[in-house]
Amino acid sequence: MEQVNDLNFDEAVVKADQPVLVDFSAAWCGPCKQIEPFVKQLADEYAGKVKVVKVDIDESPGTAAKYGIRGVPTLKMFKGGQVIAEQVGAAPKAKLAELIKRAL
Protein backbone atom coordinates (compact mmCIF):
# COMPACT_ATOMS: atom_id res chain seq x y z
CA MET A 1 0.00 0.00 0.00
CA GLU A 2 1.49 3.28 -1.12
CA GLN A 3 1.93 6.07 1.45
CA VAL A 4 0.75 9.41 0.01
CA ASN A 5 1.16 12.92 1.47
CA ASP A 6 0.37 16.59 0.80
CA LEU A 7 3.20 16.79 -1.74
CA ASN A 8 2.21 13.89 -4.00
CA PHE A 9 -1.55 13.46 -3.38
CA ASP A 10 -2.70 15.14 -6.59
CA GLU A 11 -0.25 13.14 -8.70
CA ALA A 12 -0.98 9.80 -6.99
CA VAL A 13 -4.76 10.16 -6.56
CA VAL A 14 -6.44 13.00 -8.45
CA LYS A 15 -4.50 12.41 -11.69
CA ALA A 16 -4.48 8.60 -11.43
CA ASP A 17 -5.67 6.71 -14.51
CA GLN A 18 -7.55 4.15 -12.41
CA PRO A 19 -9.88 4.39 -9.39
CA VAL A 20 -8.09 5.05 -6.08
CA LEU A 21 -9.18 4.06 -2.58
CA VAL A 22 -7.67 6.49 -0.06
CA ASP A 23 -7.37 5.39 3.56
CA PHE A 24 -7.11 8.52 5.73
CA SER A 25 -5.73 7.38 9.08
CA ALA A 26 -3.37 8.23 11.94
CA ALA A 27 -0.71 6.32 13.86
CA TRP A 28 -2.57 6.82 17.18
CA CYS A 29 -5.93 5.59 15.82
CA GLY A 30 -7.07 2.19 17.15
CA PRO A 31 -9.91 1.64 14.64
CA CYS A 32 -7.45 2.50 11.82
CA LYS A 33 -5.22 -0.37 12.93
CA GLN A 34 -8.31 -2.59 13.19
CA ILE A 35 -9.28 -2.15 9.50
CA GLU A 36 -5.72 -2.03 8.12
CA PRO A 37 -5.61 -5.81 7.36
CA PHE A 38 -8.89 -5.48 5.40
CA VAL A 39 -7.54 -2.55 3.39
CA LYS A 40 -4.34 -4.49 2.58
CA GLN A 41 -6.38 -7.55 1.50
CA LEU A 42 -8.53 -5.38 -0.78
CA ALA A 43 -5.38 -3.82 -2.25
CA ASP A 44 -4.15 -7.33 -3.14
CA GLU A 45 -7.54 -8.56 -4.40
CA TYR A 46 -8.08 -5.56 -6.69
CA ALA A 47 -4.45 -5.09 -7.78
CA GLY A 48 -4.33 -3.80 -11.35
CA LYS A 49 -7.94 -2.56 -11.20
CA VAL A 50 -7.82 -0.18 -8.24
CA LYS A 51 -4.98 1.65 -6.55
CA VAL A 52 -5.04 1.73 -2.73
CA VAL A 53 -3.13 4.43 -0.86
CA LYS A 54 -2.82 5.59 2.72
CA VAL A 55 -2.68 9.19 4.00
CA ASP A 56 -1.56 9.96 7.57
CA ILE A 57 -3.65 12.98 8.54
CA ASP A 58 -1.03 14.21 11.02
CA GLU A 59 1.69 14.21 8.34
CA SER A 60 -0.63 15.62 5.64
CA PRO A 61 -2.91 18.17 7.31
CA GLY A 62 -3.46 20.08 4.05
CA THR A 63 -4.94 17.10 2.23
CA ALA A 64 -7.00 16.10 5.27
CA ALA A 65 -8.44 19.62 5.49
CA LYS A 66 -9.09 19.85 1.75
CA TYR A 67 -11.20 16.68 1.83
CA GLY A 68 -12.99 17.50 5.11
CA ILE A 69 -11.53 14.70 7.19
CA ARG A 70 -12.89 15.17 10.72
CA GLY A 71 -12.47 11.64 12.04
CA VAL A 72 -10.37 8.62 11.25
CA PRO A 73 -10.49 6.16 9.74
CA THR A 74 -12.13 7.73 6.71
CA LEU A 75 -11.92 5.96 3.36
CA LYS A 76 -12.72 7.82 0.16
CA MET A 77 -13.07 6.28 -3.29
CA PHE A 78 -11.79 8.52 -6.09
CA LYS A 79 -12.58 8.04 -9.76
CA GLY A 80 -11.54 10.55 -12.40
CA GLY A 81 -10.20 12.83 -9.66
CA GLN A 82 -13.58 13.05 -7.89
CA VAL A 83 -14.80 11.46 -4.66
CA ILE A 84 -17.57 9.01 -5.59
CA ALA A 85 -18.02 7.18 -2.26
CA GLU A 86 -16.83 7.31 1.32
CA GLN A 87 -16.88 5.41 4.59
CA VAL A 88 -16.32 7.17 7.90
CA GLY A 89 -15.33 4.93 10.80
CA ALA A 90 -14.28 1.31 10.97
CA ALA A 91 -16.33 -1.15 8.94
CA PRO A 92 -16.24 -4.82 7.95
CA LYS A 93 -14.23 -5.80 4.89
CA ALA A 94 -17.41 -6.41 2.84
CA LYS A 95 -18.56 -2.82 3.44
CA LEU A 96 -15.15 -1.48 2.41
CA ALA A 97 -15.25 -3.65 -0.73
CA GLU A 98 -18.55 -1.96 -1.69
CA LEU A 99 -16.65 1.34 -2.07
CA ILE A 100 -14.39 -0.27 -4.64
CA LYS A 101 -17.23 -2.01 -6.46
CA ARG A 102 -18.96 1.35 -6.96
CA ALA A 103 -15.92 2.55 -8.92
CA LEU A 104 -15.64 -0.48 -11.22
Side-chain angles (χ1 to χ4, degrees):
M1 209 168 23
E2 184 182 345
Q3 196 71 34
V4 178
N5 58 40
D6 284 349
L7 301 175
N8 64 359
F9 187 88
D10 281 353
E11 196 62 43
V13 177
V14 177
K15 296 177 182 171
D17 56 1
Q18 64 190 58
V20 184
L21 180 65
V22 182
D23 178 7
F24 290 93
S25 63
W28 46 262
C29 168
C32 299
K33 290 179 177 67
Q34 184 183 356
I35 67 164
E36 190 170 3
F38 301 152
V39 177
K40 286 181 177 173
Q41 289 168 15
L42 291 168
D44 292 341
E45 289 170 24
Y46 290 93
K49 295 179 192 160
V50 172
K51 185 174 175 181
V52 179
V53 301
K54 190 173 194 120
V55 175
D56 184 309
I57 62 162
D58 292 328
E59 294 172 9
S60 302
T63 301
K66 181 178 179 179
Y67 289 98
I69 306 304
R70 291 190 176 81
V72 286
T74 295
L75 290 96
K76 290 190 182 268
M77 191 72 226
F78 284 77
K79 186 173 185 179
Q82 300 294 316
V83 176
I84 62 161
E86 75 174 351
Q87 168 64 40
V88 178
K93 182 182 170 188
K95 185 140 172 92
L96 301 179
E98 286 175 21
L99 296 176
I100 292 174
K101 290 175 185 163
R102 289 178 64 178
L104 297 177

Short mmCIF file of all heavy atoms in Angstrom, two decimals, residues 19-24 35 39 42 46 50-52 73-79 82-104:
data_model
loop_
_atom_site.label_atom_id
_atom_site.label_comp_id
_atom_site.label_asym_id
_atom_site.label_seq_id
_atom_site.Cartn_x
_atom_site.Cartn_y
_atom_site.Cartn_z
N PRO A 19 -9.27 4.00 -10.66
CA PRO A 19 -9.88 4.39 -9.39
C PRO A 19 -8.88 4.23 -8.23
O PRO A 19 -8.03 3.33 -8.27
CB PRO A 19 -11.05 3.43 -9.23
CG PRO A 19 -11.34 2.94 -10.61
CD PRO A 19 -10.01 2.92 -11.32
N VAL A 20 -9.00 5.09 -7.22
CA VAL A 20 -8.09 5.05 -6.08
C VAL A 20 -8.89 5.07 -4.78
O VAL A 20 -9.74 5.93 -4.58
CB VAL A 20 -7.12 6.27 -6.08
CG1 VAL A 20 -6.11 6.15 -4.94
CG2 VAL A 20 -6.41 6.41 -7.41
N LEU A 21 -8.61 4.09 -3.92
CA LEU A 21 -9.18 4.06 -2.58
C LEU A 21 -8.16 4.70 -1.64
O LEU A 21 -7.03 4.23 -1.56
CB LEU A 21 -9.48 2.63 -2.14
CG LEU A 21 -10.08 2.48 -0.73
CD1 LEU A 21 -11.47 3.12 -0.65
CD2 LEU A 21 -10.16 1.01 -0.33
N VAL A 22 -8.57 5.77 -0.97
CA VAL A 22 -7.67 6.49 -0.06
C VAL A 22 -8.10 6.21 1.38
O VAL A 22 -9.24 6.46 1.76
CB VAL A 22 -7.68 8.00 -0.33
CG1 VAL A 22 -6.70 8.71 0.61
CG2 VAL A 22 -7.34 8.30 -1.78
N ASP A 23 -7.15 5.68 2.15
CA ASP A 23 -7.37 5.39 3.56
C ASP A 23 -6.75 6.52 4.37
O ASP A 23 -5.53 6.61 4.50
CB ASP A 23 -6.71 4.04 3.90
CG ASP A 23 -6.83 3.66 5.37
OD1 ASP A 23 -7.54 4.36 6.12
OD2 ASP A 23 -6.20 2.66 5.75
N PHE A 24 -7.60 7.43 4.86
CA PHE A 24 -7.11 8.52 5.73
C PHE A 24 -7.07 7.96 7.15
O PHE A 24 -8.10 7.52 7.67
CB PHE A 24 -8.06 9.72 5.68
CG PHE A 24 -8.05 10.46 4.38
CD1 PHE A 24 -8.95 10.15 3.37
CD2 PHE A 24 -7.12 11.48 4.15
CE1 PHE A 24 -8.96 10.85 2.17
CE2 PHE A 24 -7.12 12.18 2.94
CZ PHE A 24 -8.03 11.86 1.96
N ILE A 35 -8.86 -1.89 10.89
CA ILE A 35 -9.28 -2.15 9.50
C ILE A 35 -8.10 -2.29 8.54
O ILE A 35 -8.28 -2.68 7.39
CB ILE A 35 -10.25 -1.07 8.97
CG1 ILE A 35 -9.55 0.28 8.82
CG2 ILE A 35 -11.49 -0.99 9.82
CD1 ILE A 35 -10.32 1.28 7.97
N VAL A 39 -7.95 -3.45 4.47
CA VAL A 39 -7.54 -2.55 3.39
C VAL A 39 -6.41 -3.19 2.58
O VAL A 39 -6.41 -3.15 1.35
CB VAL A 39 -7.14 -1.18 3.95
CG1 VAL A 39 -6.64 -0.25 2.85
CG2 VAL A 39 -8.33 -0.52 4.66
N LEU A 42 -7.83 -5.95 0.38
CA LEU A 42 -8.53 -5.38 -0.78
C LEU A 42 -7.53 -4.87 -1.81
O LEU A 42 -7.74 -5.02 -3.01
CB LEU A 42 -9.47 -4.27 -0.34
CG LEU A 42 -10.68 -4.73 0.48
CD1 LEU A 42 -11.39 -3.54 1.10
CD2 LEU A 42 -11.64 -5.53 -0.39
N TYR A 46 -7.73 -6.43 -5.57
CA TYR A 46 -8.08 -5.56 -6.69
C TYR A 46 -6.85 -4.97 -7.39
O TYR A 46 -6.97 -4.00 -8.13
CB TYR A 46 -9.02 -4.44 -6.23
CG TYR A 46 -10.41 -4.95 -5.88
CD1 TYR A 46 -10.72 -5.30 -4.58
CD2 TYR A 46 -11.38 -5.09 -6.86
CE1 TYR A 46 -11.99 -5.78 -4.25
CE2 TYR A 46 -12.64 -5.56 -6.55
CZ TYR A 46 -12.94 -5.91 -5.24
OH TYR A 46 -14.20 -6.39 -4.93
N VAL A 50 -7.66 -1.30 -9.15
CA VAL A 50 -7.82 -0.18 -8.24
C VAL A 50 -6.51 0.03 -7.49
O VAL A 50 -5.87 -0.92 -7.08
CB VAL A 50 -8.96 -0.46 -7.21
CG1 VAL A 50 -9.02 0.60 -6.14
CG2 VAL A 50 -10.29 -0.58 -7.91
N LYS A 51 -6.16 1.29 -7.33
CA LYS A 51 -4.98 1.65 -6.55
C LYS A 51 -5.45 1.94 -5.13
O LYS A 51 -6.51 2.55 -4.93
CB LYS A 51 -4.37 2.90 -7.19
CG LYS A 51 -3.08 3.37 -6.63
CD LYS A 51 -2.60 4.52 -7.52
CE LYS A 51 -1.39 5.17 -6.99
NZ LYS A 51 -0.96 6.28 -7.86
N VAL A 52 -4.70 1.48 -4.13
CA VAL A 52 -5.04 1.73 -2.73
C VAL A 52 -3.88 2.47 -2.08
O VAL A 52 -2.75 2.00 -2.15
CB VAL A 52 -5.35 0.41 -1.97
CG1 VAL A 52 -5.68 0.71 -0.51
CG2 VAL A 52 -6.49 -0.34 -2.64
N PRO A 73 -10.82 6.21 11.17
CA PRO A 73 -10.49 6.16 9.74
C PRO A 73 -11.62 6.73 8.87
O PRO A 73 -12.79 6.60 9.20
CB PRO A 73 -10.32 4.67 9.48
CG PRO A 73 -11.22 4.01 10.49
CD PRO A 73 -11.18 4.90 11.72
N THR A 74 -11.21 7.34 7.77
CA THR A 74 -12.13 7.73 6.71
C THR A 74 -11.55 7.20 5.42
O THR A 74 -10.38 7.42 5.12
CB THR A 74 -12.30 9.26 6.62
OG1 THR A 74 -12.92 9.74 7.82
CG2 THR A 74 -13.17 9.65 5.43
N LEU A 75 -12.36 6.46 4.67
CA LEU A 75 -11.92 5.96 3.36
C LEU A 75 -12.73 6.67 2.29
O LEU A 75 -13.96 6.78 2.42
CB LEU A 75 -12.11 4.45 3.26
CG LEU A 75 -11.13 3.67 4.15
CD1 LEU A 75 -11.79 3.33 5.46
CD2 LEU A 75 -10.65 2.43 3.45
N LYS A 76 -12.05 7.15 1.28
CA LYS A 76 -12.72 7.82 0.16
C LYS A 76 -12.31 7.13 -1.13
O LYS A 76 -11.14 6.84 -1.35
CB LYS A 76 -12.34 9.30 0.11
CG LYS A 76 -12.93 10.10 1.27
CD LYS A 76 -12.76 11.58 1.08
CE LYS A 76 -13.31 12.36 2.25
NZ LYS A 76 -14.68 12.76 2.09
N MET A 77 -13.30 6.90 -1.99
CA MET A 77 -13.07 6.28 -3.29
C MET A 77 -13.06 7.39 -4.33
O MET A 77 -14.03 8.12 -4.47
CB MET A 77 -14.20 5.29 -3.58
CG MET A 77 -13.97 4.39 -4.76
SD MET A 77 -12.73 3.15 -4.41
CE MET A 77 -11.75 3.28 -5.89
N PHE A 78 -11.94 7.52 -5.03
CA PHE A 78 -11.79 8.52 -6.09
C PHE A 78 -11.86 7.84 -7.45
O PHE A 78 -11.30 6.77 -7.66
CB PHE A 78 -10.41 9.21 -5.98
CG PHE A 78 -10.30 10.21 -4.87
CD1 PHE A 78 -10.14 9.80 -3.56
CD2 PHE A 78 -10.35 11.57 -5.14
CE1 PHE A 78 -10.02 10.72 -2.53
CE2 PHE A 78 -10.24 12.49 -4.11
CZ PHE A 78 -10.07 12.07 -2.81
N LYS A 79 -12.55 8.49 -8.37
CA LYS A 79 -12.58 8.04 -9.76
C LYS A 79 -12.58 9.29 -10.63
O LYS A 79 -13.41 10.19 -10.42
CB LYS A 79 -13.83 7.19 -10.04
CG LYS A 79 -13.82 6.58 -11.43
CD LYS A 79 -14.98 5.61 -11.61
CE LYS A 79 -14.88 4.93 -12.95
NZ LYS A 79 -15.96 3.97 -13.15
N GLN A 82 -12.45 12.64 -8.74
CA GLN A 82 -13.58 13.05 -7.89
C GLN A 82 -13.89 11.97 -6.85
O GLN A 82 -13.75 10.79 -7.13
CB GLN A 82 -14.84 13.25 -8.75
CG GLN A 82 -14.70 14.30 -9.83
CD GLN A 82 -14.53 15.69 -9.26
OE1 GLN A 82 -15.21 16.09 -8.34
NE2 GLN A 82 -13.58 16.44 -9.82
N VAL A 83 -14.36 12.41 -5.69
CA VAL A 83 -14.80 11.46 -4.66
C VAL A 83 -16.17 10.92 -5.07
O VAL A 83 -17.10 11.69 -5.29
CB VAL A 83 -14.90 12.14 -3.27
CG1 VAL A 83 -15.44 11.16 -2.24
CG2 VAL A 83 -13.55 12.69 -2.85
N ILE A 84 -16.28 9.60 -5.19
CA ILE A 84 -17.57 9.01 -5.59
C ILE A 84 -18.23 8.23 -4.46
O ILE A 84 -19.40 7.88 -4.55
CB ILE A 84 -17.43 8.13 -6.84
CG1 ILE A 84 -16.49 6.96 -6.59
CG2 ILE A 84 -16.97 8.95 -8.04
CD1 ILE A 84 -16.65 5.82 -7.58
N ALA A 85 -17.46 7.93 -3.40
CA ALA A 85 -18.02 7.18 -2.26
C ALA A 85 -17.09 7.36 -1.07
O ALA A 85 -15.91 7.63 -1.23
CB ALA A 85 -18.15 5.70 -2.60
N GLU A 86 -17.67 7.22 0.13
CA GLU A 86 -16.83 7.31 1.32
C GLU A 86 -17.40 6.48 2.45
O GLU A 86 -18.59 6.16 2.47
CB GLU A 86 -16.62 8.75 1.76
CG GLU A 86 -17.81 9.39 2.43
CD GLU A 86 -17.49 10.79 2.97
OE1 GLU A 86 -16.32 11.21 2.98
OE2 GLU A 86 -18.43 11.44 3.40
N GLN A 87 -16.51 6.14 3.38
CA GLN A 87 -16.88 5.41 4.59
C GLN A 87 -16.15 6.08 5.74
O GLN A 87 -14.93 6.17 5.73
CB GLN A 87 -16.45 3.93 4.48
CG GLN A 87 -16.52 3.15 5.78
CD GLN A 87 -17.92 3.01 6.33
OE1 GLN A 87 -18.87 2.79 5.58
NE2 GLN A 87 -18.07 3.15 7.63
N VAL A 88 -16.92 6.56 6.71
CA VAL A 88 -16.32 7.17 7.90
C VAL A 88 -16.45 6.18 9.04
O VAL A 88 -17.54 5.69 9.31
CB VAL A 88 -17.02 8.51 8.26
CG1 VAL A 88 -16.41 9.10 9.52
CG2 VAL A 88 -16.92 9.49 7.10
N GLY A 89 -15.34 5.88 9.69
CA GLY A 89 -15.33 4.93 10.80
C GLY A 89 -14.99 3.53 10.33
O GLY A 89 -15.04 3.22 9.14
N ALA A 90 -14.63 2.70 11.28
CA ALA A 90 -14.28 1.31 10.97
C ALA A 90 -15.50 0.57 10.44
O ALA A 90 -16.63 0.86 10.83
CB ALA A 90 -13.74 0.61 12.22
N ALA A 91 -15.24 -0.37 9.53
CA ALA A 91 -16.33 -1.15 8.94
C ALA A 91 -15.80 -2.52 8.55
O ALA A 91 -14.59 -2.69 8.37
CB ALA A 91 -16.88 -0.42 7.71
N PRO A 92 -16.69 -3.50 8.39
CA PRO A 92 -16.24 -4.82 7.95
C PRO A 92 -15.68 -4.77 6.53
O PRO A 92 -15.99 -3.85 5.76
CB PRO A 92 -17.51 -5.68 7.99
CG PRO A 92 -18.60 -4.83 8.51
CD PRO A 92 -18.11 -3.43 8.63
N LYS A 93 -14.88 -5.75 6.21
CA LYS A 93 -14.23 -5.80 4.89
C LYS A 93 -15.27 -5.72 3.76
O LYS A 93 -15.04 -5.04 2.77
CB LYS A 93 -13.40 -7.09 4.77
CG LYS A 93 -12.67 -7.20 3.45
CD LYS A 93 -11.89 -8.49 3.36
CE LYS A 93 -11.37 -8.70 1.97
NZ LYS A 93 -10.78 -10.03 1.79
N ALA A 94 -16.39 -6.41 3.89
CA ALA A 94 -17.41 -6.41 2.84
C ALA A 94 -17.92 -4.99 2.56
O ALA A 94 -18.15 -4.62 1.40
CB ALA A 94 -18.56 -7.33 3.21
N LYS A 95 -18.07 -4.20 3.61
CA LYS A 95 -18.56 -2.82 3.44
C LYS A 95 -17.49 -1.97 2.74
O LYS A 95 -17.81 -1.14 1.90
CB LYS A 95 -18.93 -2.24 4.80
CG LYS A 95 -19.53 -0.87 4.72
CD LYS A 95 -20.66 -0.73 5.71
CE LYS A 95 -21.17 0.69 5.80
NZ LYS A 95 -22.25 1.02 4.96
N LEU A 96 -16.23 -2.21 3.07
CA LEU A 96 -15.15 -1.48 2.41
C LEU A 96 -15.05 -1.89 0.94
O LEU A 96 -14.80 -1.06 0.08
CB LEU A 96 -13.82 -1.74 3.13
CG LEU A 96 -13.78 -1.34 4.62
CD1 LEU A 96 -12.42 -1.66 5.21
CD2 LEU A 96 -14.13 0.12 4.82
N ALA A 97 -15.29 -3.15 0.66
CA ALA A 97 -15.25 -3.65 -0.73
C ALA A 97 -16.34 -2.98 -1.58
O ALA A 97 -16.15 -2.77 -2.77
CB ALA A 97 -15.40 -5.16 -0.75
N GLU A 98 -17.46 -2.63 -0.96
CA GLU A 98 -18.55 -1.96 -1.69
C GLU A 98 -18.07 -0.62 -2.27
O GLU A 98 -18.51 -0.23 -3.36
CB GLU A 98 -19.75 -1.71 -0.77
CG GLU A 98 -20.54 -2.96 -0.44
CD GLU A 98 -21.64 -2.70 0.57
OE1 GLU A 98 -22.06 -1.54 0.73
OE2 GLU A 98 -22.08 -3.67 1.21
N LEU A 99 -17.20 0.08 -1.55
CA LEU A 99 -16.65 1.34 -2.07
C LEU A 99 -15.94 1.10 -3.40
O LEU A 99 -16.12 1.85 -4.36
CB LEU A 99 -15.65 1.95 -1.08
CG LEU A 99 -16.16 2.40 0.28
CD1 LEU A 99 -15.02 2.87 1.15
CD2 LEU A 99 -17.19 3.50 0.14
N ILE A 100 -15.14 0.05 -3.42
CA ILE A 100 -14.39 -0.27 -4.64
C ILE A 100 -15.33 -0.69 -5.76
O ILE A 100 -15.20 -0.24 -6.90
CB ILE A 100 -13.35 -1.40 -4.34
CG1 ILE A 100 -12.27 -0.84 -3.40
CG2 ILE A 100 -12.73 -1.92 -5.64
CD1 ILE A 100 -11.27 -1.86 -2.91
N LYS A 101 -16.30 -1.52 -5.44
CA LYS A 101 -17.23 -2.01 -6.46
C LYS A 101 -17.99 -0.88 -7.13
O LYS A 101 -18.32 -0.95 -8.31
CB LYS A 101 -18.18 -3.04 -5.87
CG LYS A 101 -17.48 -4.34 -5.52
CD LYS A 101 -18.37 -5.32 -4.81
CE LYS A 101 -17.58 -6.53 -4.39
NZ LYS A 101 -18.25 -7.32 -3.36
N ARG A 102 -18.25 0.19 -6.39
CA ARG A 102 -18.96 1.35 -6.96
C ARG A 102 -18.13 2.05 -8.03
O ARG A 102 -18.69 2.73 -8.88
CB ARG A 102 -19.35 2.33 -5.87
CG ARG A 102 -20.47 1.77 -4.98
CD ARG A 102 -20.84 2.68 -3.87
NE ARG A 102 -21.40 3.93 -4.34
CZ ARG A 102 -21.84 4.87 -3.53
NH1 ARG A 102 -21.77 4.72 -2.22
NH2 ARG A 102 -22.35 6.00 -4.01
N ALA A 103 -16.81 1.87 -7.97
CA ALA A 103 -15.92 2.55 -8.92
C ALA A 103 -15.64 1.70 -10.16
O ALA A 103 -15.11 2.19 -11.13
CB ALA A 103 -14.62 2.92 -8.24
N LEU A 104 -15.99 0.42 -10.09
CA LEU A 104 -15.64 -0.48 -11.22
C LEU A 104 -16.80 -0.63 -12.19
O LEU A 104 -17.92 -0.37 -11.91
CB LEU A 104 -15.23 -1.85 -10.67
CG LEU A 104 -13.99 -1.83 -9.79
CD1 LEU A 104 -13.71 -3.22 -9.25
CD2 LEU A 104 -12.78 -1.35 -10.57
#
